[in-house]
Amino acid sequence: MQKDRFAMQVAVHLFLVKGAQVLLLRRYNTGYEDGNYSVPAGHLDGNEEVKTAAIREAKEECGIDIDPASLEMVGVMHRRSTDERIDFFVAATKWHGEIINAEPNKCDELVWVDMDKLPPNVIPYVRQALSNFKRKQWFDSFGWAPAF
């Protein structure tokens, strides 16, 4: 008899970087963190490689195409929210097409911001992931009680 195994939600987050700036989007009408800033992101669909998911999310949310060779894996976060999650963070400095708000029903603003001057309403784990990216810290845990 096979025992059911624990399963986690897995997401990919895309840092679109232009010099010292990163693209943020303000969540709207989603039911999760609405009014707060995040980066283009989404869940893996299953049977989907992380970079493929990042490319898909870039197209769905920002209307751009990214070559897989232009993507750099920059971090992983084991996160506790309302449930337990694994988040992959991918960065790109090159893409094809003009960035647009391709999901105005889920996002009400796209804005380029200096990574050293993030708005106060950036989702906390995204803020931490951006800080990790700047420091080249590849792995982090977030939302867990401190170990003693």
Side-chain angles (χ1 to χ4, degrees), residues 144-148:
W144 296 88
F148 294 98

Side-chain angles (χ1 to χ4, degrees), residues 64-81:
I64 58 173
D65 295 305
I66 302 177
D67 185 302
S70 296
L71 290 173
E72 179 185 1
M73 297 299 301
V74 295
V76 176
M77 185 177 285
H78 183 204
R79 181 168 61 91
R80 185 171 214 153
S81 179

Side-chain angles (χ1 to χ4, degrees), residues 59-136:
K59 186 67 165 181
E60 289 175 3
E61 296 187 15
C62 300
I64 58 173
D65 295 305
I66 302 177
D67 185 302
S70 296
L71 290 173
E72 179 185 1
M73 297 299 301
V74 295
V76 176
M77 185 177 285
H78 183 204
R79 181 168 61 91
R80 185 171 214 153
S81 179
T82 55
D83 54 6
E84 194 171 342
R85 296 174 175 260
I86 293 289
D87 295 310
F88 290 94
F89 298 90
V90 182
T93 57
K94 293 191 276 187
W95 51 85
H96 305 283
E98 285 296 316
I99 292 175
I100 61 166
N101 181 0
E103 292 186 325
N105 57 322
K106 295 180 181 179
C107 167
D108 67 356
E109 181 180 39
L110 295 176
V111 61
W112 288 99
V113 299
D114 188 306
M115 282 189 263
D116 290 326
K117 298 176 184 170
L118 296 175
N121 59 329
V122 172
I123 297 171
Y125 79 89
V126 173
R127 177 182 298 279
Q128 183 64 41
L130 285 165
S131 175
N132 292 347
F133 171 59
K134 288 187 327 189
R135 293 190 327 269
K136 299 186 185 323

